[in-house]
Amino acid sequence: MMFGDVEWTQIDQCIVSWLYTTVSNDILHIIIKPSDTAANAWTVIAELFLDNRLQRAIFAKREFHNIVQGDLSVTAFCSRLKCLSDTLRDVGSPVSDQDMLLALINGLNDDFGHCIAALTINPAGLTFARARGALLQEERRLSRGGHRAQLTALMAGHSRPPATAPSLRPVAPVAPSSGGGRTRDKKKK
């Protein structure tokens, strides 16, 4: 340690400050110590994140294998799978691309049920990224179809009969009525 070196102490304190400002407040309250060094702060943070690896792996694996899309978009669903995969990698249980692909297909909602057969009919060369891309295209197609149906319904609700040219037929003369109009009786005197 170089506690006597002013330049080294300044750099070390900058790193400690950076570490403290980049972690969440919950973690900060656990790790903060007066006169801490960068090496000590980093060691505490690393131990905190690596603590209970087995238990974290169990929970993450359970969630990974049981995840369902529900109302999530394809992008949000794939991002959640990737996040769980990263967590599993961080705790020493990496997930293969094949496992990612299986979890993706297994968790799709009913809107994409018809895609499962298309994705699994010829799985050679199919990767998580390719399946994600195909599902994103299908999601766009489905949203356009829904948008078209809404526009069609909107147009049907507001449609007017087609404009026609005014009739040019001659109008038949109307016969005067016998008692309905005003008449003046002239009385002879």
Side-chain angles (χ1 to χ4, degrees):
M1 299 267 173
M2 303 176 79
F3 289 114
D5 186 346
V6 174
E7 186 177 351
W8 182 88
T9 304
Q10 286 177 338
I11 293 171
D12 191 65
Q13 289 305 301
C14 282
I15 295 170
V16 170
S17 177
W18 176 79
L19 287 171
Y20 284 176
T21 57
T22 57
V23 296
S24 71
N25 283 335
D26 294 337
I27 293 173
L28 177 63
H29 293 301
I30 294 170
I31 66 167
I32 196 166
K33 292 180 187 171
S35 303
D36 205 0
T37 65
N40 289 341
W42 181 255
T43 302
V44 172
I45 291 170
E47 288 174 355
L48 186 64
F49 278 95
L50 297 177
D51 194 23
N52 299 320
R53 290 175 99 177
L54 181 59
Q55 187 176 17
R56 289 176 58 210
I58 290 169
F59 289 140
K61 265 202 189 280
R62 182 181 303 143
E63 186 176 355
F64 180 81
H65 289 294
N66 294 318
I67 191 169
V68 291
Q69 182 181 8
D71 292 336
L72 295 175
S73 68
V74 170
T75 300
F77 181 51
C78 290
S79 294
R80 185 66 190 132
L81 280 169
K82 177 72 169 92
C83 182
L84 287 169
S85 169
D86 291 346
T87 299
L88 286 165
R89 183 198 62 232
D90 291 345
V91 295
S93 296
V95 175
S96 70
D97 189 73
Q98 182 71 22
D99 288 336
M100 292 281 291
L101 182 60
L102 292 174
L104 173 64
I105 292 170
N106 185 52
L108 289 174
N109 67 24
D110 291 340
D111 292 344
F112 296 96
H114 62 282
C115 295
I116 294 172
L119 290 171
T120 58
I121 193 107
N122 188 10
L126 184 63
T127 63
F128 176 76
R130 286 184 179 162
R132 179 185 176 274
L135 290 168
L136 283 171
Q137 288 178 358
E138 181 62 10
E139 184 176 56
R140 282 187 215 109
R141 187 191 71 77
L142 288 172
S143 70
R144 275 196 328 262
H147 183 66
R148 284 185 189 150
Q150 289 174 347
L151 286 176
T152 303
L154 182 63
M155 294 300 290
H158 291 7
S159 67
R160 298 180 190 158
T164 58
S167 175
L168 299 176
R169 287 183 300 166
V171 178
V174 178
S177 62
S178 57
R182 278 197 212 168
T183 59
R184 290 188 190 186
D185 285 329
K186 293 184 180 180
K187 291 185 181 180
K188 291 184 183 180
K189 292 187 182 180

